[in-house]
Amino acid sequence: MQFNRAKFKDVILYTCHKSERSKLGAVKLNKVLYFLDMIRYAWTGGPVTGATYKKRKHGPTTDSLLPVLRELTAERKLEIHDVNFFGFTKKEYVPLVAPDISRLSKEEIVLLDEVIDFVCSDNTAKTISEYSHQAPWEMVEFGDEIPYHSAFLLYPSEVSLEALEWAEAEAKTVADQSAQSNQVVLTDGSVFRSRLLEARQ
């Protein structure tokens, strides 16, 4: 996957702008990015930002986040504060500029809104970390990259090893086709939306 740094910045600023400060910290910001990219990949064969995610103790994280946050603060687009949150130190993100969403498609913004709502409004940092410990996270060793084709395992279904191997082969085919064409076909996101509703209950 090719990492789109500009869209990555846009998603971060948009997330910080849309979320209540008290409900967004470092853990949740990582999870917004992860679920956005993985779900978009499962729907269309391509992620939004193309960031690389790795298995960490508190769920998937991306090594791209900290350097990009430093860039955004240096550009005076974002302030980051350490605040006391019930006896713990928590990162608080204060956007200084309105987010630029011109690089994001309407479908990407709709999905991002849903992911922000699910991660930030319906979960604590602890519950979203636990929720992110699903099959894609479990299938790799600590510190290893979580492959994008594992996004299909986020959906509620019984997935066999053969199906996973098929998904990996299909992912390569989609990637090869995407390299030759900019056209992307959207698929139905109702399954993931039902998964979100189940998680909220």
Side-chain angles (χ1 to χ4, degrees):
M1 293 298 156
Q2 185 173 358
F3 178 50
N4 189 322
R5 200 176 198 85
K7 289 183 77 172
F8 191 78
K9 286 184 173 182
D10 295 341
V11 170
I12 291 171
L13 283 175
Y14 184 88
T15 301
C16 294
H17 181 77
K18 289 281 290 187
S19 306
E20 292 182 34
R21 291 182 191 175
S22 64
K23 294 185 176 181
L24 179 67
V27 171
K28 287 186 175 181
L29 184 54
N30 269 289
K31 301 308 172 284
V32 167
L33 293 162
Y34 169 75
F35 283 119
L36 174 70
D37 272 335
M38 287 294 184
I39 296 161
R40 184 66 176 170
Y41 178 88
W43 289 7
T44 68
V48 176
T49 76
T52 297
Y53 299 93
K54 295 181 179 180
K55 179 175 181 173
R56 304 294 187 197
K57 179 180 178 181
H58 298 294
T61 64
T62 174
D63 293 340
S64 300
L65 183 56
L66 289 180
V68 168
L69 287 175
R70 285 194 289 268
E71 286 179 23
L72 289 170
T73 56
E75 295 166 358
R76 300 295 302 153
K77 294 180 179 179
L78 186 70
E79 284 185 353
I80 304 174
H81 307 290
D82 287 328
V83 298
N84 184 286
F85 189 73
F86 298 103
F88 296 93
T89 301
K90 172 182 170 296
K91 295 294 182 185
E92 183 178 83
Y93 303 103
V94 182
L96 303 177
V97 297
D100 180 2
I101 58 173
S102 61
R103 283 179 282 260
L104 300 172
S105 70
K106 291 180 180 179
E107 292 83 5
E108 289 172 339
I109 293 170
V110 169
L111 175 58
L112 179 52
D113 283 338
E114 290 185 1
V115 171
I116 290 171
D117 185 49
F118 173 65
V119 172
C120 298
S121 298
D122 295 348
N123 283 278
T124 64
K126 184 176 185 295
T127 62
I128 197 60
S129 291
E130 292 171 350
Y131 183 77
S132 67
H133 293 180
Q134 297 183 59
W137 181 86
E138 292 174 347
M139 67 183 286
V140 299
E141 299 296 326
F142 278 100
D144 285 354
E145 180 180 342
I146 300 173
Y148 269 103
H149 68 263
S150 68
F152 298 105
L153 298 176
L154 292 171
Y155 290 79
S157 60
E158 293 294 328
V159 180
S160 64
L161 179 60
E162 291 77 13
L164 185 58
E165 290 172 348
W166 169 86
E168 186 172 7
E170 191 68 14
K172 184 180 184 307
T173 301
V174 170
D176 292 343
Q177 291 174 347
S178 296
Q180 301 172 9
S181 171
N182 292 324
Q183 293 184 347
V184 174
V185 179
L186 294 175
T187 58
D188 181 16
S190 61
V191 176
F192 174 71
R193 292 189 181 92
S194 67
R195 178 73 176 252
L196 293 187
L197 292 175
E198 289 171 8
R200 291 171 181 169
Q201 294 174 356

